[in-house]
Every structure is written in C-alpha cells, then in structure tokens.
Amino acid sequence: MQIKTILIICLLSIYSCNAQTVVDDCLGGWSGIFEDKTPFLFDIKLTTKDKKTVAIFKGRKSTTEIHLEAENDRYLFGEVVSQLSIRIDTTYTEPIAFIKTGHHLSNLELKRNPQGDWVGKWNLFIGESILPSLYLAIDKSDEGVYSATPFFKEPTLHYMLGQGLKTQRNEIHFTDIRSNINFSGLLQKKLIKLKLQFLNEYTTIQLSPLPYDRWEIGQVEAQKKTITKDTRFSKLIADVKNDTLERTHSVVISQFGEIILEEYFDGFTSTTPHDTRSLSKSIASAMIGIAITDQKIDNEHLPIKNFYENDYPEITWEDGKKDITIHHLMTMSSGLDAIDFGLNRNSFANEYTYQSQEDWTAYILKAPMVFKSGEKANYGSGSTHLLAPIVSKSISERLEFYIHRKLFKPLSIENYRIQTDHSGNPYFGGGWYLTPLDLQKFGQLYLNKGMWNGKEIIARQWVKKSMKKLDVLENTRDKNEYGYLFWHKTYEVKGKKIASVEARGTGGQYLFIIPEHELIVVITSGNYSNNKGFQPEKIMEEYILTEIID
C-alpha cells in the first residue's frame, strides 16, 4: 500500500513538473487578432412558458433559458451560476432590467414585440463596432505563482482581470472576474490556442509571442462617426488624428444646448460607452441630491454613523470619526486615512487596498483618522464609496433601479454600465461606462440648473450648492478647489479668466461645464499610463476656448 502511495505521489510530481515546464516556456507577452468581432452578442426575450417567466439568451451558436423566480413582490431574478444574473423590476408598465456579469451591471433596453414579449439586445463586450487585438501576459511571481492577464488592444472597450489560473499539462484555465468569461488555452511551441467561453457561446483566437515593449495598448484602427457643424475646430481634429493629442477617443462640444462638434477616434463611436473612471463620482453627487429632494435622506449634514453603526458594530467611532458627515464625504474632507495619492506612504484605505478586501465598506470604515473631519480635503475614492450604502439604506428599492428611474431614464440614458463592489452593489467611486453624448446630457442638466424638458430632475439649490467652491484638494497637482464631487479650474484665454466646473476621471475623462458661455465639453481618452491624463485641459485651453472666446 505504501509503495502504491509513493508511486502515485511520484507520478503526480512528474505531472506537475511537466505542467510547470510547459508554462515556464510560455512566460511573457502574447498577441493575436480576433476573427469573430461579436462573439457574445445576444438577442434576449422575456416570455412566459408554463406560466413561468423565462429570459431567453439567444447567441449565434446556442440558446440559454433562465427561469425567473419572484425575489420579492417587486423583482424577478434568475441566474446562471458563475456567469450572469438578471433582475427585473415588474412594478411599472415597462419593465426595468439589469444584467450582472462580474463587476458590471448592464442596463437592458427592452421593447415589446407584436407577440407581447419584451425583447432586447445585449453585448457582453462593451465595444459594438470592433473587437480589437488581444494581448495575454503570462507571468510567474518570485514565490512561483503563475498568473495570466488578458488585455484588449484598447482596454477601455473591456478591461479584464484574470483570476484563478490553473495549469494542466500543456493547458491553462482562468476566469476574467470582470466579465465572467472563462479562458482555456492550449500551449504549444510559439503558439497559444485560446478559447473564450460565456454561457454556451465561445470564440477562439491564436496568439503568438510578442514582447511587452511591443504592445500598443490604446491604439486601434480608425473607425469613426462624426458630426461637425463648426469648422473652427479643424486644428483640434487634425492634431488628434496625427497623434499630437494622442489617444483622444472622443470630443463632444455643445453651446446654448446645441451640439456643435461630435468627433470619435480610434474605433470609438457615438454608441460606444466609455469607461469614465472617477468622472462618475459626480453622478454620485447627483444621486445624493436626488435622495434628499426625494425625502429619503434628511440632509447632507447627517453623521454617517447613523447609517453604519447597526450593520458594523465592530467599528469604533472614536477620534472624531463619529463627527464625519455626508458633506465631508462629498468634499473629500472626512479625515479618514483613505487617500488615493499624493502621500509619501501608502494610505490605509486607498482604492487599490480596499478593493482587494472582501468587504470594501468595512475596511474603509476601519481606517484611522489622520485629520479632524472638515479640517483638510484629500482626494480619495473611499469617501465616495461610502455614499452608495447610505443611499441604499434610505430607499425601498435596489440602488441601480433608483438611479435609472430618477436620473438616467428622464435623460433618455439607456446604454450604460455601472461598476459594482464584490457584493454587486453600485460603486460610487467610479468606473461607470457611458457614451460621450450621454455625458453631455448630464452636463447640460447642471447647466440647466437641474431642469430637463421642463421637469426638475435635480433640485436647483442642490445644483448650485454642488458647483460651489467648498474646499481645496491638498493632494492634487493644482490644489484644485472642490465642490460636491465637482472640480474647479480657471483657464486664461485671450487675457480673460474662464471658470470651469468639471467632472474628471483618470486617463483623460473630462466633462467641462462653463456656465458663463453656456458651454459643455466632453473629452474621453485612453491615457492611463503615459502621464497624459491631463491632456483634456490643454485641449480645452488651447483648442476650444480660443475658438469660443471673442
């Protein structure tokens, strides 16, 4: 018996070593081009079978039926474990539906067909026009742990995060936790045959070795849709095309409520939702204002302890932590050690650190106080994350549905995705995907003092308060003044000072609101790691305002 056990152990060791040897030979960068441009595009139908509601996902190769059950008296829910879930609010004449995959909540646009079923289309991949090249990094840590990370040539279309790599002989298997796509690869000499599978749909791609220094992240074949009503911006367009203003994905300009420039580059189109990164923090500000106007939250000066002490009894509200209010969270002046950058040390609860925890909220609340609340303002995403549970606890529906009903639907914003935390709740720290035209609508809403088509969406007083200069961000490059999750910057053009209120996201995602000239500008970019994240400010000052200002 001992001999058999030893023999099995030896065989397993040889098997493991062989698998490791094959993977070791494949360490480094790989690249390939998809032949299938829309492998995970689904026609979706909500119908009734045997008196049960069924969601049918029809791909090109297969059909998946998901039986929906009543979650409560409001929602129907169904899922394919480890792949996706779908939740439908049946309260209204037209159902509101969200599909969740990984860390994304996708709004599903539904229309009724002649048979009485609700139908729509959904693409797992965010980019509709193209599916670009794929890069794969296979690495090995100093501790001997292997990892595989896939990247699209344009990461804004779909940023992936591989996890759970398993090796078996000459095979690798892992999952992208942002989309729940399952990857399996066959390792050969100077070739990896990679298969991507979601539900029962799949696509394949062949990868060849390509060193990391030859990767061209952020550069995609041009494919654009444009509306240009104004020739004043020809130099701007030319300099984007010749890469003087590199990796600019879109520029949308409106004045007096009319679009005067709408240009897309590098494969992006008017229907491509773009990763807004922290720009969507300003949407969180809007939702706090809406919840207050809706009498779900009394006011922004309530202590956050009121919302958290029952669910998190382990938190000690000492050293001034009990004095933190919603106002402090929105002005980045909570005093918590939850600061994203600008320190000569790692903050206890910077975004990278708390997102690696199981419970993001608990970890941020445990952060020590480094300043008295209201004393200093330092930019950090942890503060805005804490706003989402506060709204959730104050309303009688799921937060994503409340956001859709109260803000996005009135603006006819339908093509969007919301980033979530590990529990599937909307993340107010950023990472939402919206189209540039929909961002323009959001900016116009503030220019209109909260009114849209004659209806008040956000209270006028809240808009005014949000856009005030309430604090100064001490850890930012320009020591910007800051409102309720809105930035302030003054530009100098032709001897005139132009005040701009801005929503900003890393990599060059900007929404500019300039009330003096009734001007809205949206610029999206892919400058995540080349120190060009502030390039939209240059575009605004040198290319746009010079043409707008007399």
Side-chain angles (χ1 to χ4, degrees):
M1 186 68 180
Q2 284 183 330
I3 294 174
K4 287 183 178 179
T5 302
I6 293 170
L7 180 60
I8 290 171
I9 292 173
C10 289
L11 288 172
L12 288 173
S13 299
I14 294 169
Y15 172 86
S16 177
C17 289
N18 285 340
Q20 291 176 5
T21 301
V22 173
V23 178
D24 283 335
D25 290 341
C26 295
L27 295 178
W30 298 79
S31 174
I33 299 174
F34 284 99
E35 293 183 4
D36 193 351
K37 303 302 182 185
T38 54
F40 303 123
L41 178 63
F42 295 91
D43 289 309
I44 298 175
K45 180 167 69 173
L46 303 180
T47 189
T48 302
K49 285 190 174 183
D50 300 324
K51 299 182 180 180
K52 294 280 188 178
T53 304
V54 179
I56 300 174
F57 285 68
K58 184 178 181 182
R60 288 186 298 175
K61 301 181 178 73
S62 66
T63 299
T64 300
E65 292 189 2
I66 303 175
H67 292 267
L68 306 181
E69 302 290 342
E71 190 174 41
N72 50 38
D73 59 0
R74 183 165 197 152
Y75 300 115
L76 293 176
F77 178 81
E79 66 178 332
V80 175
V81 177
S82 300
Q83 290 277 272
L84 68 76
S85 63
I86 179 170
R87 182 176 277 107
I88 302 168
D89 188 339
T90 60
T91 309
Y92 305 98
T93 305
E94 294 185 3
I96 305 171
F98 282 91
I99 296 171
K100 182 179 181 300
T101 54
H103 280 188
H104 282 158
L105 282 166
S106 303
N107 174 55
L108 178 60
E109 304 172 49
L110 294 169
K111 305 293 181 184
R112 175 158 278 181
N113 67 11
Q115 292 74 41
D117 299 319
W118 291 96
V119 296
K121 287 184 179 292
W122 176 69
N123 191 351
L124 174 62
F125 287 126
I126 290 169
E128 296 179 359
S129 57
I130 56 172
L131 189 58
S133 303
L134 181 79
Y135 294 116
L136 180 68
I138 301 179
D139 299 306
K140 184 179 182 181
S141 70
D142 293 339
E143 293 77 25
V145 178
Y146 295 100
S147 64
T149 307
F151 298 87
F152 280 138
K153 191 171 185 179
E154 175 42 66
T156 306
L157 291 176
H158 205 292
Y159 172 64
M160 293 185 162
L161 185 61
Q163 194 173 76
L165 177 67
K166 295 180 181 178
T167 60
Q168 183 178 4
R169 294 185 180 177
N170 62 336
E171 298 177 3
I172 57 172
H173 303 270
F174 61 94
T175 299
D176 165 40
I177 65 172
R178 293 188 181 275
S179 65
N180 288 342
I181 294 174
N182 293 318
F183 288 75
S184 57
L186 183 64
L187 309 181
Q188 299 179 354
K189 189 174 182 180
K190 295 186 178 181
L191 179 68
I192 296 178
K193 295 182 178 180
L194 195 65
K195 179 180 179 181
L196 289 71
Q197 183 160 351
F198 182 80
L199 296 180
N200 293 314
E201 296 291 299
Y202 66 87
T203 188
T204 59
I205 183 173
Q206 294 195 1
L207 306 177
S208 302
L210 187 70
Y212 295 138
D213 61 4
R214 291 178 57 194
W215 285 17
E216 297 178 339
I217 297 292
Q219 300 174 15
V220 186
E221 296 80 5
Q223 191 181 94
K224 63 190 182 73
K225 175 183 177 182
T226 66
I227 298 176
T228 304
K229 298 182 180 180
D230 202 316
T231 59
R232 290 177 291 175
F233 306 107
S234 56
K235 178 171 172 52
L236 165 59
I237 296 168
D239 282 357
V240 172
K241 290 180 177 179
N242 65 28
D243 276 343
T244 299
L245 300 171
E246 60 183 281
R247 300 182 186 180
T248 298
H249 294 157
S250 73
V251 181
V252 174
I253 305 173
S254 67
Q255 191 172 29
F256 309 117
E258 181 184 2
I259 301 291
I260 58 175
L261 182 78
E262 183 186 356
E263 289 280 341
Y264 302 93
F265 312 91
D266 289 351
F268 289 83
T269 72
S270 61
T271 59
T272 310
H274 200 286
D275 187 354
T276 63
R277 300 296 175 103
S278 287
L279 185 156
S280 49
K281 283 182 169 70
S282 300
I283 299 174
S285 172
M287 292 313 304
I288 292 291
I290 288 171
I292 291 173
T293 303
D294 214 14
Q295 298 183 339
K296 305 297 184 183
I297 298 172
D298 287 343
N299 59 72
E300 72 271 26
H301 299 293
L302 294 176
I304 68 170
K305 179 183 177 182
N306 296 4
F307 300 90
Y308 285 114
E309 59 182 340
N310 290 335
D311 291 339
Y312 295 93
E314 72 276 15
I315 301 301
T316 55
W317 299 89
E318 300 172 346
D319 302 322
K321 193 176 288 189
K322 64 180 176 57
D323 298 321
I324 300 172
T325 67
I326 296 171
H327 166 91
H328 294 135
L329 296 181
M330 289 195 294
T331 55
M332 303 289 182
S333 61
S334 69
L336 289 170
D337 192 8
I339 302 169
D340 284 351
F341 53 79
L343 302 177
N344 55 7
R345 61 177 177 83
N346 288 326
S347 175
F348 178 88
N350 62 43
E351 189 173 36
Y352 176 81
T353 303
Y354 70 72
Q355 287 192 349
S356 64
Q357 310 298 315
E358 187 61 31
D359 188 331
W360 299 0
T361 304
Y363 190 82
I364 297 166
L365 289 173
K366 289 176 184 175
M369 296 291 289
V370 289
F371 303 110
K372 182 181 177 181
S373 57
E375 183 179 59
K376 294 184 179 182
N378 284 278
Y379 188 91
S381 298
S383 291
T384 46
H385 169 67
L386 294 179
L387 294 170
I390 288 173
V391 180
S392 289
K393 293 171 187 294
S394 305
I395 59 179
S396 58
E397 60 189 293
R398 291 185 64 89
L399 181 53
E400 62 269 27
F401 290 89
Y402 187 70
I403 294 167
H404 181 82
R405 283 198 312 107
K406 291 292 185 175
L407 180 61
F408 287 159
K409 186 175 181 180
L411 300 184
S412 299
I413 295 176
E414 297 179 323
N415 183 16
Y416 65 90
R417 297 191 182 187
I418 297 173
Q419 187 180 181
T420 72
D421 62 15
H422 290 327
S423 300
N425 302 311
Y427 175 52
F428 273 13
W432 298 18
Y433 285 74
L434 291 97
T435 68
L437 284 176
D438 287 339
L439 291 174
Q440 184 275 334
K441 291 179 186 177
F442 181 69
Q444 189 68 44
L445 177 65
Y446 274 76
L447 202 58
N448 294 348
K449 298 179 174 58
M451 300 294 293
W452 193 261
N453 290 336
K455 181 181 178 182
E456 183 181 85
I457 309 301
I458 307 173
R460 181 188 186 98
Q461 282 302 112
W462 184 261
V463 170
K464 182 178 178 181
K465 192 182 299 184
S466 301
M467 297 172 70
K468 279 185 175 180
K469 298 175 179 178
L470 300 173
D471 228 316
V472 176
L473 295 174
E474 297 194 1
N475 64 329
T476 60
R477 182 189 67 169
D478 297 332
K479 302 292 186 289
N480 298 82
E481 290 173 298
Y482 202 63
Y484 279 163
L485 304 178
F486 281 93
W487 299 70
H488 287 264
K489 184 176 175 67
T490 300
Y491 297 91
E492 293 192 17
V493 178
K494 298 180 181 178
K496 298 179 181 179
K497 292 187 176 182
I498 311 299
S500 177
V501 183
E502 300 168 3
R504 298 183 182 181
T506 188
Q509 325 316 321
Y510 275 69
L511 165 61
F512 302 85
I513 305 170
I514 302 183
E516 180 184 358
H517 296 278
E518 296 189 47
L519 182 69
I520 300 292
V521 176
V522 175
I523 298 174
T524 60
S525 320
N527 292 307
Y528 299 107
S529 56
N530 59 357
N531 296 318
K532 295 289 184 69
F534 295 103
Q535 183 174 265
E537 296 175 32
K538 173 186 173 73
I539 295 173
M540 171 58 79
E541 191 164 54
E542 299 181 12
Y543 290 83
I544 297 175
L545 289 178
T546 53
E547 300 299 331
I548 294 291
I549 305 303
D550 294 328

